[in-house]
Structure formats: structure tokens, C-alpha cells
């Protein structure tokens, strides 16, 4: 309640003024297709309609900044970057529309005599300005006293810019605010419409095709979830824990000097090692976010280029320094394959899912926010290691790592949308194990047995209900619950192994299920939100069920009317 009261008090204190209308004029208007990065974001927005779809940024304002300087700077940036004056249509086909001219409405509040924080101004912006990432991609609010701006916040659609695109805006805004002589019009060298057309021409088209080839191999090989744990029955809430460790940053400096690898690669290696210890798998297939900014045109590109890219880091019998090298190589390879058509990737995923009888969760995700971060005043480093907990928006991701800083202090956030499967204690164990591993690796190049000893982490506890099939850890009981739900009222039973073949289901044939293919279709439809289940590898349809459906011999004695895999499968894990 205190936070709500404070927010209400701030709202009453700040006086809403007449909005400021900022006219802008660009060099060109245009319509065209979405870029691959925009298509990626559009798919995300459609899949998660309740997600924000925007990034919030506090304006960097020197003391004594005139309101006229802020409005002039916005007018120049809107003229320079077409993405800031674009709107988006879902289609079909999806498209972007660039306006040649228009007006930006800036919401203004008078601060009176009190100081103003950007957070409270953002709260007011949320309550005053309608927002849509597709049709209203930019909104701004400022707090003023007289003709001076005390604070300002801006929301920018993910369709308009990714984090590095926001960094471009931040650098240019700060520069133009301080250098009025540079407030000239003119287009940026590369615009989103230019990017969209370039992606449809060689050689970029060949690069996107190559990325899809890599995705296809990953989809045919990787676990459906790298990290699978049994449900505790607790509510499925989302929470994040952020580790802040100055000593880990010192350790990173030592390891960097010894290995020659950058700090993000070292942190990634530690993450991979700890996940390998916890999952019991020597190789990790998971995602990183690729910036896809590799040429001079993207240096000042205000747009969305970032996409997820698959990484594979094989840690079998490797020392810590070798793991660091592997992580660096995996990051480089992922960067080369980070731009692709997400719709084609989704079709490949759907085909692989049906073949393997799984639903993919593309995670854990490693998001490196150190490179290209927006400059901000340095934060005071904590005296020792701290863990900060933050409630998060609902997500289906099991684990996500965000690396915020690695210089004066290591700031690594780990969050989950499955507290029922990854409780707070597990998040804490993983983060502290990463810190412990880094501290020990600063003293020596640890062997794999030594790394296991240092962290003290073993594999996740798995009882006899667990089975490793086609590189996927699953619970046989969860597969049985899937059958009970989707095949009811037909009796069905899955057995862990039948005559050397894993995960075989026996069921009585009925009007809805007359073939293995029909049974498989129903099971695939029920797989969503079951991270520890997959469909049976083989379906055996009998004329009728035995009295005791748990009796395998009784099923085997029944006449078989149909059987089959329902899909092709990979090798058993």
C-alpha cells in the first residue's frame, strides 16, 4: 500500500498541462514489407497479446535543459529516423508505413517546487496516453518547472527498435541536446524499409537460408526443454533474481587476462557448466540473442535487428578455459546465423515437433546486454554479493539469463515463469553456483571433476518415473496423464519399455481413434504446457482393453487392430 499511496500523492502533486505538439518533416514516405526482425517481434506480440511490446527509457537531461531544446531534438530525430514515424499493419501481408510528416504529442506535467523521478512520470504516462506498439509506437512525457525540463520518459515499440536501436537513439538524443548546431535534418544511412528490401536480395537471402538449415539440424537433435523439473504444485508465477557480485567481476578480469576471451563469453561458459551439472547433459542446446549488427550501416541504424539464435556448447571432459573457448566459438557461430524468417522457422519447428512428438521451448535464453548498452551514470557497487528479487510479467520461459554488467560488478539476472518447477531456492542455487565457479576459476584452470566439486551441484533429482528418450527428459506419469486427458473415454496405458522400445502406448480402438496417426494427432494437440511430457513413440491399438490396463502381458495378449509410430522418431537417448 505505501507504494500505491506514494504514486497517488505524486499524481496529485504534478499538474497536468496542455500537451506539447511537435511537428516533424522527413525526407520521404513509403510503404513496404516488414523486416525479418520486425516479423519476429510481430509474432511475439501476437503470441503474447498481454505483453508490453515496448521499451521505456529515461531521457538524459543535463541540469537546466530548456523545453525548446527537447522538442527540437525530438523533431530532428523523427526526421532522421523513419522508424520513429512508422506504423505497422499485421496484414496479410504484414507491412510498415512511413509517414513523411506528422506531429508528436508530448505529455507535459508541471512539477511545482518538488523534485521529480522518472518512475513516477512513467506511471503518469501509463495512465494518460493510449499506447499500441503497432499503431502508436512512440510516446513521451516530461515534467517541467518554468521553461526547464526536470525529467522525461519515452516508450518505444519493439517493432521500432531493439535494445541497440534504443542505444542509437540515446546517444543521438544526448548529443543533439548538448550541440544545437548539429540539429540538422537528413536521413540516417540505413532505414527499416532499406533493410526489408535488402533481406530479399542476395547475399543476405543466402545467409538467412543458411540460418534455417542450422535451425533444422537443431530441431531434429535438441531436447524439447534443456531444463526439465517436476512440478511442485505451487502457483505458476514469474519471478527474477539478480546477482550483484563485485568479487565475481574481479574474477572475470583475471580469467579474461588468462584466456583472452571477453567477459560475456566467460559468464556464458559458467552458465553452461552449471546447467550441464544440473541437467546431467554434457552438451547444451539453447539460445542467445544475436544483435545482427555486423556492418557500418548498422552503426546508426534505429530499428529491430535482434533475433534469437541457437547455440551448442559441448562441455564433455573439458577444462574451464576450454569451455570458455567453446562458448566464444558458439557465440560467433550463433551471430552468423541470427537472421532468418521466423515464419519459416516456425514451420520447420512444427514439422520437427510432429516427427519427434514434442513441443519445443526455445530456452534457456542467454541475453548479453553488456555490449552496446546505453551509457548511464555508474551505479554504486554493493560491498558484497547481493540477490535482489523482482516479480515479473507472466512468461512461458523456464529459464532466462540477462547479463547487465561485468566490469565493476557482475550483474546477472535469472528469471522464470515456472515457480512451480523452478522455485526461488533453485534460482538462488544456480546463481550462487555460477559465482562460486567464477571465483574458483580465477585461481586455476579447473578440470571438469574439480568444477563439479567446487559448485557442489548434482543433477536434478529424478526418481524412477523419469526417462531419457530422444535426448529429452520426460516423466512417464506425465505422458500417462496426457493420454488420460486427450484419449478419454478410451482406456490407454503407456509403458516405459516394451521389447526394447521405449515409451509404447496401448489403447483400445474407438470412433475417435482408429489409427496410430489419429492417436498421435490428439496427443500432439494436448502437449502444450506439459514440459515433462512427450507423445508415445509407438501406439498399439487393440480391439478392447484388458480388465487391468496396467498389465502389459494382458495387453500383449489382445488382438492388435492397428499400430505405428504416428511419426518418425530419432534415436533413443
Amino acid at each position: 500500500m505505501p507504494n500505491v499511496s506514494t504514486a497517488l500523492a505524486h499524481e496529485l502533486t504534478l499538474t497536468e498541462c496542455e500537451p506539447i505538439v511537435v511537428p516533424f518533416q522527413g525526407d520521404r514516405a513509403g510503404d513496404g514489407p516488414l523486416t525479418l526482425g520486425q516479423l519476429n517481434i510481430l509474432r511475439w506480440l501476437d503470441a503474447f497479446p498481454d505483453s508490453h511490446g515496448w521499451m521505456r527509457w529515461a531521457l538524459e537531461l543535463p541540469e537546466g535543459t530548456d523545453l525548446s531544446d527537447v522538442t527540437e531534438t525530438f523533431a530532428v530525430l523523427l526526421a532522421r529516423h523513419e522508424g520513429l514515424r512508422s506504423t505497422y499493419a499485421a496484414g496479410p501481408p504484414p507491412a510498415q508505413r512511413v509517414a513523411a510528416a506528422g506531429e508528436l504529442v508530448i505529455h507535459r506535467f508541471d512539477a511545482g517546487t518538488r523534485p521529480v523521478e522518472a518512475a513516477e512520470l512513467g506511471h503518469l504516462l501509463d495512465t494518460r496516453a493510449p499506447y499500441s506498439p503497432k499503431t502508436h509506437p512512440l510516446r513521451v512525457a516530461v515534467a517541467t518547472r518554468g521553461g526547464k525540463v526536470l525529467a522525461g520518459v519515452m516508450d518505444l515499440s519493439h517493432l521500432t527498435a531493439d535494445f541497440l536501436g534504443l542505444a542509437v537513439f540515446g546517444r543521438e538524443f544526448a548529443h543533439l541536446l548538448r550541440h544545437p548546431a548539429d540539429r540538422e535534418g537528413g536521413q540516417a544511412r540505413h532505414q527499416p524499409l532499406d533493410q526489408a528490401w535488402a533481406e530479399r536480395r542476395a547475399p543476405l537471402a543466402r545467409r538467412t537460408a543458411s540460418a534455417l538449415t542450422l535451425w533444422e539440424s537443431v530441431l531434429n537433435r535438441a531436447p524439447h526443454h534443456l531444463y526439465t523439473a517436476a512440478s511442485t504444485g505451487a502457483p505458476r508465477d514469474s519471478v527474477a533474481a539478480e546477482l550483484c557480485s563485485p568479487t565475481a567481476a574481479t574474477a572475470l578480469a583475471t580469467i579474461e587476462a588468462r584466456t583472452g576471451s571477453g567477459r560475456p563469453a566467460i559468464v556464458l561458459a559458467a552458465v553452461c557448466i552449471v546447467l550441464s551439472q544440473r541437467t546431467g547433459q554434457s552438451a547444451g542446446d539453447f539460445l542467445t540473442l544475436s544483435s545482427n549488427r555486423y556492418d557500418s550501416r548498422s552503426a546508426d541504424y534505429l530499428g529491430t535487428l535482434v533475433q534469437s539464435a541457437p547455440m551448442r556448447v559441448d562441455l564433455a571432459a573439458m577444462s574451464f578455459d576450454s569451455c570458455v573457448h567453446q562458448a566464444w566459438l558458439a557465440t560467433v557461430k550463433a551471430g552468423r546465423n541470427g537472421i532468418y524468417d521466423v515464419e519459416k522457422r516456425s514451420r520447420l519447428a512444427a514439422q520437427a515437433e510432429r516427427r519427434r512428438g514434442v513441443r519445443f521451448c526455445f530456452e534457456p535464453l542467454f541475453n548479453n546486454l553488456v555490449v552496446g548498452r546505453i551509457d548511464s551514470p555508474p551505479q554504486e557497487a554493493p560491498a558484497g554479493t547481493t540477490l535482489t528479487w523482482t516479480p515479473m510479467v507472466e512468461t512461458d520461459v523456464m529459464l532466462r539469463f540477462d547479463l547487465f554488467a561485468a566490469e565493476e560488478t557482475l550483474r546477472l539476472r535469472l528469471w522464470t515463469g515456472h515457480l512451480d518447477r523452478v522455485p526461488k531456492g533453485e534460482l538462488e542455487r544456480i546463481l550462487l553456483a555460477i559465482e562460486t565457479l567464477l571465483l574458483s576459476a580465477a585461481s586455476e584452470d579447473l578440470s571438469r571433476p574439480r568444477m563439479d566439486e567446487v559448485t557442489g551441484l548434482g543433477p536434478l533429482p529424478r526418481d524412477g518415473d523419469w526417462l531419457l528418450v530422444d535426448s529429452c527428459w520426460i516423466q512417464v506419469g506425465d505422458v500417462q496423464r496426457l493420454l488420460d486427458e486427450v484419449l478419454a473415454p478410451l482406456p490407454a496405458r503407456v509403458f516405459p519399455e516394451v521389447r526394447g522400445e521405449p515409451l509404447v502406448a496401448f489403447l483400445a480402438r474407438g470412433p475417435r481413434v482408429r489409427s496410430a496417426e489419429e492417436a498421435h494427432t490428439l496427443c500432439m494437440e494436448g502437449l502444450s504446457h506439459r514440459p515433462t511430457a512427450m507423445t508415445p513413440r509407438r501406439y498399439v491399438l487393440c480391439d478392447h482393453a484388458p480388465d487391468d490396463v496396467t498389465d502389459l502381458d494382458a495387453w500383449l495378449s489382445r488382438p492388435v487392430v492397428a499400430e505405428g509410430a504416428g511419426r518418425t522418431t530419432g534415436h533413443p537417448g
Side-chain angles (χ1 to χ4, degrees), residues 139-398:
R139 65 178 184 177
V140 183
V142 296
T144 61
R145 181 181 300 127
K148 305 297 181 182
V149 183
L150 306 183
V153 293
M154 177 188 77
D155 290 339
L156 192 59
S157 170
H158 274 294
L159 282 164
T160 298
D162 53 24
F163 186 81
L164 293 183
L166 183 59
V168 169
F169 182 97
R171 288 194 302 269
E172 293 189 6
F173 183 90
H175 176 82
L176 294 175
L177 209 57
R178 290 171 171 82
H179 300 88
D182 293 341
R183 293 176 199 162
E184 300 176 356
Q187 296 278 93
R189 287 178 296 171
H190 194 55
Q191 304 283 4
L193 279 178
D194 303 327
Q195 177 69 17
W197 295 120
E199 290 168 352
R200 286 153 176 80
R201 297 191 296 266
L204 198 51
R206 289 194 296 269
R207 181 176 163 190
T208 61
S210 176
L212 288 174
T213 300
L214 175 62
W215 267 108
E216 188 168 20
S217 67
V218 169
L219 293 167
N220 287 328
R221 172 195 71 219
H224 65 316
H225 277 255
L226 178 61
Y227 183 100
T228 48
S231 175
T232 63
R236 217 204 86 179
D237 294 329
S238 299
V239 71
E242 183 176 322
L243 171 76
C244 291
S245 173
T247 54
T250 302
L252 284 171
T254 302
I255 300 169
E256 181 180 36
R258 185 177 75 224
T259 64
S261 294
R263 300 189 186 193
I266 300 169
V267 176
L268 173 60
V271 167
C272 291
I273 291 164
V274 168
L275 286 178
S276 174
Q277 292 173 334
R278 211 65 179 124
T279 63
Q281 302 207 41
S282 62
D285 285 283
F286 60 108
L287 298 184
T288 186
L289 290 181
S290 175
S291 68
N292 296 319
R293 292 173 183 260
Y294 299 109
D295 57 44
S296 59
R297 296 182 306 172
S298 62
D300 62 351
Y301 178 71
L302 201 159
T304 293
L305 289 173
V306 66
Q307 287 185 260
S308 57
M311 289 195 305
R312 183 175 179 86
V313 184
D314 194 337
L315 310 174
M318 285 189 176
S319 71
F320 183 86
D321 289 3
S322 297
C323 291
V324 170
H325 184 62
Q326 281 289 313
W328 178 80
L329 289 176
T331 303
V332 171
K333 185 176 181 180
R336 292 174 182 156
N337 293 278
I339 186 166
Y340 52 87
D341 186 325
V342 69
E343 294 297 334
K344 292 181 180 178
R345 196 283 308 268
S346 296
R347 288 195 289 272
L348 289 174
Q351 294 164 5
E353 285 177 337
R354 187 165 185 88
R355 281 196 305 271
R356 299 179 61 193
V358 299
R359 288 282 187 229
F360 290 114
C361 181
F362 297 116
E363 54 83 21
L365 176 70
F366 182 78
N367 187 15
N368 174 22
L369 294 170
V370 171
V371 178
R373 67 174 182 262
I374 300 173
D375 294 332
S376 59
Q379 296 182 334
E380 184 177 348
T385 298
T386 62
L387 273 177
T388 305
W389 298 91
T390 307
M392 302 294 285
V393 297
E394 182 179 343
T395 175
D396 199 40
V397 172
M398 192 74 71

Side-chain angles (χ1 to χ4, degrees), residues 65 248 439 449 539 543:
T65 297
L439 296 181
Y539 303 86
D543 59 349

Side-chain angles (χ1 to χ4, degrees), residues 13 52 100 106 126 173 185 215 263 297 343 424 450 542 573:
T13 303
H52 295 303
I106 297 181
D126 288 336
F173 183 90
W215 267 108
R263 300 189 186 193
R297 296 182 306 172
E343 294 297 334
K424 283 186 172 183
R450 178 68 179 134
C542 301

